[in-house]
Amino acid sequence: MKSISPFFILLVFLSVPAKGSDLSALDQFIKLSQDKRLWDQRYWQILLHYQPTLAGNKSLIDDPKFFLSLVGENSPEDELRSTLIAFFTSAEKGDLHPRCRFPARYEWLKSVLQWEESLFSNISCHELKKYEKTMSPKSAVLVFPTFFMNNPASMFGHTLLRIDNTSESKLLSFSANYAAYPDSFGFLYPIKGVFGFYKGYFSIFPYYETIRMYNDTEQRDMWEYHLNFSEAEIQMMTWHLWELKEIYSYYYFLDENCSYNLLYLFEAARPTLHLTDRKWYWTIPTDTLRAILSEGVIEDADFRPAKGTKIRYIASLLDNIGQENALKIVEKKLDPTRVPSSTVQEKIKILDLAVEEIQYRYNKHQMPKETYLNLFLSTLNERSKLGVSDKESYKIPVPNPPESGHRSSRISLSEGIRENSSFEEIHYRPAYHTLLDPDEGFVKGLQIVFADTAVRFYNEGKIKLESFDLIDIVSLSPRDRFFKPLSYKVSTGIKQQMMEAGDDLIVYQLNPGVGMTLENSSMGLVYGLVEMNLNVSEEFRDRYALGGGLQFGVIKQINGVWKASLSLEDVSYPFRNIFQEKKVSLVQTIKLNPDQSLNISYFWDQVSDIHRTEGQVHWNIFF
């Protein structure tokens, strides 16, 4: 797409109209638009992505190519007038004509001002027609790839749109996605993402590529929510999507992100929806999903398990020997024609497991194409000789959908006792989920927390900032025969640190760690991490204490409402400020309903020879 430069906009005012009578028609439609104050109408505000500000309106689009007025970003009225002038006076006759570039604006203005299409009969929008023919939109689906534990930016999940055409295979549909285009993924990546240093663009991909990326490579299950938009509504959505082609707005991880910008496509389809004008202090995909559900747009949902989910499930149907044989096929240590098994159904499962694993390794670029093709075809050939599998045994249990989980923000009220002192405590956490929260709707072993603040009120009159977790991320991704992810954690913030004399010292703390997690049906998640701990305070010699140690833990979902967690830590500080700290925490979580839970916790802390215990009961309210 070529850009519409300020020079072009100036040219609009000086150009000769396409038809002799257009100038009088233009005057008429400008006057009518002023009489109707069309710039104040909601649909115009949606198409230009305007949001109210103290000074009036401002578009969330940052790319000047999106506007036909030099002041269009802040002036809906001037942008509308300039758009009418551009439609009726542009000297362009082809794809660069504003009628071709902004079809949603054109169709809406035509419908409210009721001009004849024949006024633009000499304009030929070849590229737009080609786009319309390719898309042929008939229906739309909201897609939610679930939480991706190995990338902090994807731990919240993601939302995108699938636009279906007449093809029976949904793989031939198209997906519309809004994403940031970072220039690097280094240490500054999350910081630059939070403060809007990256540009975000809409893009359109074949849906099979979307599945390959999220489902097959990143091991993310996908939920597909069918929307009840009419064909006419989806047409307006796809026209607006065309208008956003190669147009950027600055991407902010916490609010103007993938999930928020997608809402404009919903409103372009059906302007009676109120999604972008809600109070979004931060925008999390599960929250936008709930908002869309509340508007009555979603009819039903399908679950599309990830390749990793399929592999783990088929593996669960086999014993250790069967799983090992499948891996031997993948690693070319066992010929597919020589699979030892006691039954045909067992052999089918071994070969099916091998086929899934071969495809997975190829998608992850762990296998060259030639090796993949030879191995895949030889295994598939042997598998085809065994007939149809028992389909019932391959039905993967459908998990609870993302919207069934607790809401993102949490406030906690607690009563506790430390040695001989009782206290009350209030916690506020804007987002999002901890290891101790109920797991329903989330991935086990996932924690991502922003700005969790705890203030403690001791009954003898003291008030203390107990902790401020700027960010606290934990990913306990279990390892097995087929997947070997590392687990990790990183947290930073302000905490009360017990010292050798038994008193508290408020310190800035940075605590990263890396290790492994295993999952056992009787024990739950069992993890071990090697960690580093940096404490900074004026009270330390040289203002810091640097230590390292180990953390071991177990997290077990005992039944549908009860979860237990045990953590043991031993950290030594061998430099300058020399001391050793040991911690034990045991927490029971009781789910009361989706948005309320109780935590009953016991905490033991020892620094050198001084130790203390603490017990608390937390009432958590999610909102």
Side-chain angles (χ1 to χ4, degrees), residues 190-222:
I191 297 172
K192 292 172 75 173
V194 167
F195 292 102
F197 282 85
Y198 299 131
K199 292 177 180 177
Y201 292 89
F202 275 96
S203 55
I204 299 174
F205 292 100
Y207 192 55
Y208 61 80
E209 288 192 10
T210 301
I211 291 173
R212 186 168 61 184
M213 179 171 68
Y214 292 113
N215 231 198
D216 296 347
T217 304
E218 295 186 351
Q219 301 181 48
R220 299 168 72 171
D221 296 329
M222 293 167 66

Coordinates of all heavy atoms in Angstrom, one line a residue, residues 190-222:
P190 N 10.6 -6.5 27.6 CA 9.4 -6.3 28.4 C 9.2 -4.8 28.8 O 8.1 -4.3 28.8 CB 9.5 -7.2 29.6 CG 11.0 -7.5 29.7 CD 11.5 -7.4 28.3
I191 N 10.3 -4.1 29.1 CA 10.2 -2.7 29.5 C 9.7 -1.9 28.3 O 8.8 -1.1 28.4 CB 11.5 -2.2 30.0 CG1 12.0 -3.0 31.2 CG2 11.5 -0.7 30.3 CD1 13.4 -2.7 31.7
K192 N 10.3 -2.1 27.1 CA 9.8 -1.3 26.0 C 8.4 -1.7 25.6 O 7.7 -0.8 25.1 CB 10.8 -1.6 24.8 CG 12.2 -1.1 25.0 CD 13.2 -1.5 24.0 CE 13.0 -0.8 22.6 NZ 14.1 -1.2 21.7
G193 N 8.0 -2.9 25.8 CA 6.6 -3.3 25.6 C 5.6 -2.6 26.5 O 4.6 -2.2 26.0
V194 N 6.0 -2.5 27.7 CA 5.1 -1.8 28.7 C 4.9 -0.4 28.4 O 3.8 0.2 28.5 CB 5.6 -2.0 30.1 CG1 4.9 -1.1 31.1 CG2 5.5 -3.5 30.6
F195 N 6.0 0.3 27.9 CA 5.9 1.7 27.7 C 5.7 2.1 26.2 O 5.9 3.3 25.9 CB 7.2 2.4 28.2 CG 7.3 2.3 29.7 CD1 8.1 1.4 30.4 CD2 6.5 3.1 30.5 CE1 8.2 1.3 31.7 CE2 6.6 3.1 31.9 CZ 7.4 2.1 32.5
G196 N 5.3 1.2 25.4 CA 4.8 1.6 24.1 C 5.9 1.9 23.1 O 5.7 2.8 22.2
F197 N 7.0 1.3 23.1 CA 8.1 1.6 22.2 C 8.0 0.8 20.9 O 8.8 0.9 20.0 CB 9.5 1.3 22.8 CG 9.9 2.4 23.8 CD1 9.5 2.4 25.1 CD2 10.7 3.4 23.3 CE1 9.9 3.4 25.9 CE2 11.1 4.4 24.2 CZ 10.7 4.4 25.5
Y198 N 7.0 -0.2 20.8 CA 6.9 -1.0 19.6 C 5.6 -0.6 18.9 O 4.6 -0.2 19.5 CB 6.8 -2.5 20.0 CG 8.0 -3.0 20.7 CD1 7.8 -3.8 21.9 CD2 9.3 -2.8 20.2 CE1 8.9 -4.3 22.6 CE2 10.4 -3.3 20.9 CZ 10.2 -4.1 22.1 OH 11.3 -4.6 22.7
K199 N 5.7 -0.7 17.6 CA 4.5 -0.5 16.7 C 3.7 -1.8 16.6 O 4.3 -2.9 16.5 CB 4.9 0.0 15.4 CG 5.6 1.4 15.4 CD 6.0 1.8 14.0 CE 6.6 3.2 14.0 NZ 7.2 3.6 12.7
G200 N 2.4 -1.7 16.6 CA 1.6 -2.8 16.4 C 0.8 -2.7 15.1 O 0.4 -1.6 14.7
Y201 N 0.6 -3.8 14.4 CA 0.0 -3.9 13.1 C -1.0 -5.0 13.1 O -0.8 -6.1 13.8 CB 1.0 -4.1 12.0 CG 1.9 -3.0 11.8 CD1 3.2 -2.9 12.4 CD2 1.6 -2.0 10.8 CE1 4.1 -1.9 12.2 CE2 2.6 -1.0 10.6 CZ 3.8 -0.9 11.2 OH 4.7 0.1 11.0
F202 N -2.1 -4.8 12.4 CA -3.0 -6.0 12.0 C -2.3 -6.7 10.9 O -1.7 -6.1 10.0 CB -4.4 -5.5 11.6 CG -5.3 -5.2 12.8 CD1 -5.4 -4.0 13.3 CD2 -6.0 -6.3 13.4 CE1 -6.3 -3.7 14.4 CE2 -6.8 -6.1 14.4 CZ -7.0 -4.8 15.0
S203 N -2.5 -8.0 10.9 CA -2.1 -8.8 9.8 C -3.1 -9.9 9.5 O -3.9 -10.3 10.4 CB -0.7 -9.4 10.1 OG -0.8 -10.2 11.3
I204 N -3.0 -10.5 8.3 CA -4.0 -11.6 7.9 C -3.1 -12.8 7.5 O -2.2 -12.6 6.6 CB -4.9 -11.1 6.8 CG1 -5.8 -9.9 7.3 CG2 -5.8 -12.2 6.4 CD1 -6.6 -9.3 6.2
F205 N -3.4 -13.9 8.0 CA -2.7 -15.1 7.7 C -3.7 -16.3 7.4 O -4.8 -16.2 7.9 CB -1.8 -15.6 8.8 CG -0.7 -14.7 9.1 CD1 -0.7 -13.9 10.2 CD2 0.5 -14.8 8.4 CE1 0.3 -13.0 10.5 CE2 1.5 -13.9 8.7 CZ 1.5 -13.1 9.7
P206 N -3.3 -17.2 6.5 CA -4.2 -18.4 6.4 C -4.3 -19.1 7.8 O -3.3 -19.1 8.5 CB -3.4 -19.3 5.4 CG -2.5 -18.4 4.7 CD -2.2 -17.3 5.6
Y207 N -5.4 -19.6 8.1 CA -5.7 -20.1 9.5 C -4.7 -21.3 9.8 O -4.4 -21.5 10.9 CB -7.1 -20.5 9.6 CG -7.5 -20.8 11.1 CD1 -7.3 -19.8 12.1 CD2 -8.1 -22.0 11.4 CE1 -7.6 -20.1 13.4 CE2 -8.5 -22.2 12.8 CZ -8.2 -21.3 13.7 OH -8.5 -21.5 15.0
Y208 N -4.4 -22.1 8.7 CA -3.5 -23.2 9.0 C -2.2 -22.8 9.5 O -1.5 -23.5 10.3 CB -3.4 -24.1 7.7 CG -2.8 -23.5 6.5 CD1 -1.4 -23.3 6.4 CD2 -3.6 -23.0 5.5 CE1 -0.8 -22.8 5.3 CE2 -3.0 -22.4 4.3 CZ -1.7 -22.3 4.2 OH -1.1 -21.7 3.1
E209 N -1.7 -21.6 9.1 CA -0.4 -21.1 9.6 C -0.6 -20.7 11.1 O 0.3 -20.9 11.9 CB 0.0 -19.9 8.8 CG 0.6 -20.3 7.4 CD 1.3 -19.2 6.8 OE1 1.6 -18.1 7.4 OE2 1.6 -19.3 5.6
T210 N -1.8 -20.2 11.4 CA -2.0 -19.8 12.8 C -2.0 -21.1 13.7 O -1.5 -21.1 14.8 CB -3.4 -19.1 12.9 OG1 -3.3 -17.9 12.1 CG2 -3.7 -18.7 14.4
I211 N -2.7 -22.1 13.2 CA -2.7 -23.4 13.9 C -1.3 -23.9 14.1 O -0.9 -24.4 15.2 CB -3.6 -24.4 13.2 CG1 -5.0 -23.9 13.3 CG2 -3.4 -25.8 13.8 CD1 -6.0 -24.8 12.5
R212 N -0.5 -23.9 13.0 CA 0.9 -24.4 13.1 C 1.7 -23.7 14.1 O 2.5 -24.3 14.9 CB 1.5 -24.3 11.7 CG 2.9 -25.0 11.7 CD 3.4 -25.2 10.3 NE 3.6 -23.9 9.6 CZ 3.9 -23.7 8.4 NH1 4.1 -24.8 7.6 NH2 4.1 -22.5 7.8
M213 N 1.5 -22.4 14.2 CA 2.3 -21.6 15.2 C 1.9 -21.8 16.6 O 2.7 -22.2 17.5 CB 2.2 -20.1 14.9 CG 3.0 -19.2 15.8 SD 3.1 -17.5 15.3 CE 1.4 -17.0 15.5
Y214 N 0.6 -21.6 16.9 CA 0.1 -21.7 18.3 C -0.1 -23.2 18.7 O 0.3 -23.6 19.8 CB -1.2 -20.9 18.5 CG -1.0 -19.5 18.3 CD1 -1.6 -18.8 17.2 CD2 -0.3 -18.7 19.2 CE1 -1.5 -17.4 17.1 CE2 -0.1 -17.4 19.1 CZ -0.7 -16.7 18.0 OH -0.6 -15.3 17.9
N215 N -0.8 -23.9 17.9 CA -1.2 -25.3 18.3 C -0.1 -26.3 18.2 O 0.1 -27.1 19.1 CB -2.3 -25.7 17.3 CG -3.6 -26.2 18.0 OD1 -4.4 -26.9 17.4 ND2 -3.7 -26.0 19.3
D216 N 0.7 -26.2 17.1 CA 1.7 -27.3 16.8 C 3.0 -27.0 17.3 O 3.8 -27.9 17.7 CB 1.8 -27.5 15.3 CG 0.4 -28.0 14.7 OD1 -0.4 -28.4 15.5 OD2 0.3 -28.0 13.5
T217 N 3.4 -25.7 17.3 CA 4.8 -25.4 17.7 C 4.9 -24.9 19.2 O 5.7 -25.4 19.9 CB 5.3 -24.2 16.8 OG1 5.2 -24.7 15.5 CG2 6.8 -23.9 17.2
E218 N 4.0 -24.0 19.6 CA 4.0 -23.5 21.0 C 3.3 -24.3 22.0 O 3.2 -23.9 23.2 CB 3.5 -22.0 21.0 CG 4.4 -21.1 20.2 CD 4.0 -19.6 20.3 OE1 2.9 -19.4 20.9 OE2 4.7 -18.8 19.8
Q219 N 2.6 -25.4 21.6 CA 1.9 -26.3 22.5 C 0.8 -25.5 23.2 O 0.5 -25.7 24.4 CB 2.8 -26.9 23.5 CG 4.0 -27.7 22.9 CD 4.8 -28.3 24.1 OE1 4.3 -28.8 25.0 NE2 6.1 -28.1 24.0
R220 N 0.1 -24.6 22.5 CA -1.0 -23.9 23.1 C -2.3 -24.4 22.6 O -2.6 -24.4 21.4 CB -0.9 -22.4 22.8 CG 0.4 -21.8 23.3 CD 0.7 -20.4 22.8 NE -0.2 -19.4 23.4 CZ 0.0 -18.1 23.2 NH1 1.0 -17.7 22.5 NH2 -0.8 -17.2 23.8
D221 N -3.1 -24.9 23.6 CA -4.5 -25.3 23.2 C -5.2 -24.1 22.7 O -4.9 -22.9 23.1 CB -5.2 -25.9 24.4 CG -4.6 -27.2 24.9 OD1 -4.0 -27.9 24.1 OD2 -4.7 -27.4 26.2
M222 N -6.2 -24.3 21.8 CA -6.9 -23.1 21.3 C -8.5 -23.3 21.5 O -9.0 -24.4 21.3 CB -6.7 -23.0 19.8 CG -5.2 -22.6 19.5 SD -4.7 -22.7 17.8 CE -5.7 -21.5 17.0

